Amino acid sequence: MVKQFKGVTLECLQGNITAQRDITAIVNAANAWLRKGGGVAGAIHSAAGPGLEQECRPLAPIKTGEAVITGGHNLPNRFVIHCLGPVYGVDKPEPILLGNCYRNALKLAEQNKIDSIAFPAISTGIFGYPLAEAAEVAVKTVMEVIAASKLEHLKLVRFVLFGQQDLRVYEEVFSRLMPEK
Ligand code: AR6
């Protein structure tokens, strides 16, 4: 699904975060130590190669809600922005901390003149955040940042969902928060 919001294209689609060839920066659902791990982080580090962990080492540890930026190494993307999402039921208040991931990632994108960014559904795997709640926070926060017109360079924000059911949830949130006029 594709929407236009205040001059920025917002998309949600089903796919693998490591296969977004047309995107300048992909976002990693990282761990505090920016190590390989599983899920999104495992896939990103596998595709990027060992140079990514090497570049990450001096940047770790990061705090919940924080974001740091590195190169893309062997990925098709110029940058990786690593975010540490909240562990659901542990790191509170979860919506604020999850929102900070999206806010801080977009801040780094702007600082680095990035035109396109792809987010996975941060915290909704191993960290246990219910997808529907997380989708609401993700889309609302991105819209808030765009509406505050802090972004001069960003033209495209893509949400990449692993499963078809997850995509449906995002599509429902997109339709509700950005209805056709
Ligand atoms: N592309 C897109 N989405 C994916 C992919 C992929 N290749 N793989 C999984 N997902 P998770 P978290 C979805 O667990 O909850 C790691 O081990 C998945 O279905 O990657 O923030 C880190 O090292 C889910 O909806 O991230 C941390 O320790 C979403 O992406 C910890 O897991 C996020 O799942 C972070 O946990």
Side-chain angles (χ1 to χ4, degrees), residues 15-17 29-31 35-41 43 120-128 131 160 162 166:
N16 190 316
I17 195 72
N31 51 71
R35 300 245 169 81
K36 189 170 181 191
V40 166
I122 299 169
S123 281
T124 67
I126 292 162
F127 284 178
L131 189 94
V160 179
F162 218 24
D166 293 351

Short mmCIF file of all heavy atoms in Angstrom, two decimals, residues 15-17 29-31 35-41 43 120-128 131 160 162 166, ligand 1:
data_model
loop_
_atom_site.label_atom_id
_atom_site.label_comp_id
_atom_site.label_asym_id
_atom_site.label_seq_id
_atom_site.Cartn_x
_atom_site.Cartn_y
_atom_site.Cartn_z
N GLY A 15 8.10 -8.31 2.69
CA GLY A 15 9.42 -8.57 2.11
C GLY A 15 10.47 -8.81 3.17
O GLY A 15 10.16 -8.95 4.36
N ASN A 16 11.72 -8.85 2.68
CA ASN A 16 12.87 -9.04 3.55
C ASN A 16 13.62 -7.71 3.62
O ASN A 16 13.89 -7.10 2.58
CB ASN A 16 13.76 -10.14 2.94
CG ASN A 16 14.85 -10.57 3.89
OD1 ASN A 16 15.50 -9.73 4.53
ND2 ASN A 16 15.06 -11.86 3.99
N ILE A 17 13.96 -7.30 4.82
CA ILE A 17 14.62 -6.00 5.00
C ILE A 17 15.97 -5.94 4.26
O ILE A 17 16.41 -4.86 3.89
CB ILE A 17 14.77 -5.66 6.51
CG1 ILE A 17 15.10 -4.20 6.74
CG2 ILE A 17 15.77 -6.57 7.19
CD1 ILE A 17 14.00 -3.23 6.50
N ALA A 29 16.68 -3.89 13.71
CA ALA A 29 16.10 -4.13 15.04
C ALA A 29 17.21 -4.78 15.86
O ALA A 29 17.30 -6.00 15.95
CB ALA A 29 14.88 -5.04 14.94
N ALA A 30 18.06 -3.94 16.45
CA ALA A 30 19.34 -4.38 17.00
C ALA A 30 19.23 -4.86 18.44
O ALA A 30 18.17 -4.74 19.07
CB ALA A 30 20.34 -3.23 16.92
N ASN A 31 20.33 -5.43 18.95
CA ASN A 31 20.49 -5.66 20.39
C ASN A 31 21.44 -4.58 20.90
O ASN A 31 22.10 -3.89 20.12
CB ASN A 31 21.02 -7.07 20.66
CG ASN A 31 22.25 -7.38 19.84
OD1 ASN A 31 23.33 -6.85 20.08
ND2 ASN A 31 22.11 -8.23 18.83
N ARG A 35 25.46 -6.70 18.15
CA ARG A 35 26.02 -7.95 17.63
C ARG A 35 25.04 -8.57 16.66
O ARG A 35 23.91 -8.14 16.53
CB ARG A 35 26.29 -8.91 18.79
CG ARG A 35 27.27 -8.36 19.81
CD ARG A 35 28.55 -9.16 19.87
NE ARG A 35 29.57 -8.46 20.65
CZ ARG A 35 29.62 -8.49 21.98
NH1 ARG A 35 28.75 -9.20 22.68
NH2 ARG A 35 30.56 -7.83 22.63
N LYS A 36 25.47 -9.68 16.07
CA LYS A 36 24.68 -10.29 15.01
C LYS A 36 23.27 -10.72 15.47
O LYS A 36 22.28 -10.25 14.93
CB LYS A 36 25.43 -11.49 14.43
CG LYS A 36 24.76 -12.04 13.20
CD LYS A 36 25.64 -13.05 12.49
CE LYS A 36 24.91 -13.53 11.24
NZ LYS A 36 25.54 -14.69 10.63
N GLY A 37 23.15 -11.59 16.47
CA GLY A 37 21.84 -12.01 16.98
C GLY A 37 21.02 -12.75 15.93
O GLY A 37 21.56 -13.26 14.94
N GLY A 38 19.69 -12.78 16.17
CA GLY A 38 18.78 -13.48 15.24
C GLY A 38 17.88 -12.49 14.54
O GLY A 38 18.17 -11.29 14.50
N GLY A 39 16.78 -12.98 13.96
CA GLY A 39 15.77 -12.13 13.33
C GLY A 39 16.35 -11.15 12.32
O GLY A 39 17.23 -11.51 11.52
N VAL A 40 15.87 -9.92 12.39
CA VAL A 40 16.32 -8.86 11.48
C VAL A 40 17.82 -8.65 11.59
O VAL A 40 18.54 -8.55 10.59
CB VAL A 40 15.56 -7.54 11.79
CG1 VAL A 40 16.22 -6.36 11.11
CG2 VAL A 40 14.10 -7.66 11.38
N ALA A 41 18.32 -8.57 12.83
CA ALA A 41 19.74 -8.30 13.06
C ALA A 41 20.61 -9.40 12.44
O ALA A 41 21.62 -9.11 11.79
CB ALA A 41 20.03 -8.16 14.55
N ALA A 43 19.82 -11.38 9.95
CA ALA A 43 19.73 -11.29 8.49
C ALA A 43 20.58 -10.14 7.96
O ALA A 43 21.31 -10.29 6.96
CB ALA A 43 18.27 -11.11 8.06
N PRO A 120 11.94 -2.25 9.58
CA PRO A 120 11.23 -3.49 9.93
C PRO A 120 10.30 -3.15 11.10
O PRO A 120 10.31 -2.02 11.60
CB PRO A 120 12.36 -4.40 10.40
CG PRO A 120 13.33 -3.46 11.05
CD PRO A 120 13.23 -2.14 10.31
N ALA A 121 9.49 -4.11 11.54
CA ALA A 121 8.60 -3.88 12.69
C ALA A 121 9.40 -4.11 13.97
O ALA A 121 9.38 -5.20 14.57
CB ALA A 121 7.39 -4.79 12.61
N ILE A 122 10.13 -3.06 14.38
CA ILE A 122 11.03 -3.12 15.54
C ILE A 122 10.29 -3.63 16.78
O ILE A 122 9.14 -3.24 17.02
CB ILE A 122 11.60 -1.70 15.83
CG1 ILE A 122 12.40 -1.18 14.63
CG2 ILE A 122 12.48 -1.70 17.10
CD1 ILE A 122 12.76 0.31 14.73
N SER A 123 10.93 -4.50 17.52
CA SER A 123 10.46 -5.06 18.81
C SER A 123 9.36 -6.13 18.70
O SER A 123 8.97 -6.70 19.71
CB SER A 123 9.94 -3.96 19.78
OG SER A 123 11.01 -3.30 20.40
N THR A 124 8.86 -6.40 17.48
CA THR A 124 7.69 -7.30 17.38
C THR A 124 8.06 -8.77 17.20
O THR A 124 7.17 -9.61 17.02
CB THR A 124 6.76 -6.88 16.21
OG1 THR A 124 7.46 -7.09 14.97
CG2 THR A 124 6.33 -5.45 16.32
N GLY A 125 9.35 -9.09 17.26
CA GLY A 125 9.79 -10.48 17.16
C GLY A 125 10.18 -10.99 18.53
O GLY A 125 9.34 -11.17 19.41
N ILE A 126 11.48 -11.17 18.70
CA ILE A 126 12.02 -11.70 19.96
C ILE A 126 11.63 -10.81 21.15
O ILE A 126 11.42 -11.32 22.26
CB ILE A 126 13.56 -11.84 19.82
CG1 ILE A 126 13.87 -12.96 18.81
CG2 ILE A 126 14.22 -12.13 21.16
CD1 ILE A 126 15.27 -12.95 18.24
N PHE A 127 11.48 -9.50 20.94
CA PHE A 127 11.16 -8.58 22.04
C PHE A 127 9.68 -8.55 22.40
O PHE A 127 9.28 -7.86 23.35
CB PHE A 127 11.68 -7.18 21.73
CG PHE A 127 13.18 -7.02 21.89
CD1 PHE A 127 13.82 -5.81 21.59
CD2 PHE A 127 13.98 -8.07 22.35
CE1 PHE A 127 15.19 -5.66 21.75
CE2 PHE A 127 15.36 -7.92 22.50
CZ PHE A 127 15.97 -6.71 22.20
N GLY A 128 8.83 -9.27 21.65
CA GLY A 128 7.47 -9.56 22.11
C GLY A 128 6.41 -8.47 22.03
O GLY A 128 5.32 -8.62 22.60
N LEU A 131 2.08 -6.88 17.46
CA LEU A 131 2.29 -6.18 16.18
C LEU A 131 1.32 -5.02 15.98
O LEU A 131 1.72 -3.96 15.51
CB LEU A 131 2.19 -7.16 15.01
CG LEU A 131 2.62 -6.45 13.74
CD1 LEU A 131 4.07 -6.66 13.43
CD2 LEU A 131 1.74 -6.77 12.58
N VAL A 160 8.67 -2.57 6.06
CA VAL A 160 8.82 -3.89 5.46
C VAL A 160 8.37 -4.94 6.47
O VAL A 160 8.96 -5.07 7.55
CB VAL A 160 10.29 -4.14 5.04
CG1 VAL A 160 10.45 -5.53 4.44
CG2 VAL A 160 10.74 -3.08 4.04
N PHE A 162 7.47 -8.94 7.42
CA PHE A 162 7.91 -10.28 7.03
C PHE A 162 6.73 -11.14 6.60
O PHE A 162 6.83 -11.88 5.62
CB PHE A 162 8.64 -10.91 8.22
CG PHE A 162 9.81 -11.74 7.83
CD1 PHE A 162 10.48 -11.53 6.64
CD2 PHE A 162 10.29 -12.73 8.68
CE1 PHE A 162 11.58 -12.28 6.28
CE2 PHE A 162 11.39 -13.50 8.33
CZ PHE A 162 12.03 -13.27 7.13
N ASP A 166 1.01 -9.64 9.04
CA ASP A 166 1.60 -8.41 9.57
C ASP A 166 1.35 -7.25 8.60
O ASP A 166 1.05 -6.14 9.02
CB ASP A 166 3.11 -8.58 9.79
CG ASP A 166 3.43 -9.59 10.90
OD1 ASP A 166 2.48 -10.02 11.60
OD2 ASP A 166 4.60 -9.94 11.06
N1 AR6 B 1 13.05 -8.86 7.12
C1 AR6 B 1 11.96 -8.21 7.59
N2 AR6 B 1 11.37 -8.49 8.77
C2 AR6 B 1 11.90 -9.51 9.50
C3 AR6 B 1 13.04 -10.24 9.08
C4 AR6 B 1 13.63 -9.88 7.82
N3 AR6 B 1 14.69 -10.52 7.34
N4 AR6 B 1 13.32 -11.18 10.03
C5 AR6 B 1 12.39 -11.05 11.01
N5 AR6 B 1 11.53 -10.04 10.68
P1 AR6 B 1 13.22 -9.30 15.56
P2 AR6 B 1 13.06 -7.50 17.88
C6 AR6 B 1 10.40 -9.49 11.47
O1 AR6 B 1 13.13 -10.48 16.47
O2 AR6 B 1 11.74 -8.04 18.32
C7 AR6 B 1 17.59 -10.03 17.58
O3 AR6 B 1 18.18 -11.27 17.85
C8 AR6 B 1 9.86 -10.35 12.59
O4 AR6 B 1 8.84 -11.21 12.10
O5 AR6 B 1 14.25 -9.30 14.49
O6 AR6 B 1 13.28 -6.01 17.90
C9 AR6 B 1 18.43 -8.87 18.07
O7 AR6 B 1 19.77 -9.25 18.18
C10 AR6 B 1 9.31 -9.31 13.54
O8 AR6 B 1 7.99 -8.91 13.14
O9 AR6 B 1 13.48 -7.93 16.40
C11 AR6 B 1 17.80 -8.52 19.40
O10 AR6 B 1 18.37 -9.24 20.47
C12 AR6 B 1 10.22 -8.10 13.35
O11 AR6 B 1 10.88 -8.34 12.11
C13 AR6 B 1 16.38 -8.92 19.25
O12 AR6 B 1 16.34 -9.93 18.25
C14 AR6 B 1 11.25 -7.86 14.44
O13 AR6 B 1 11.76 -9.10 14.91
C15 AR6 B 1 15.49 -7.80 18.77
O14 AR6 B 1 14.14 -8.20 18.80
#
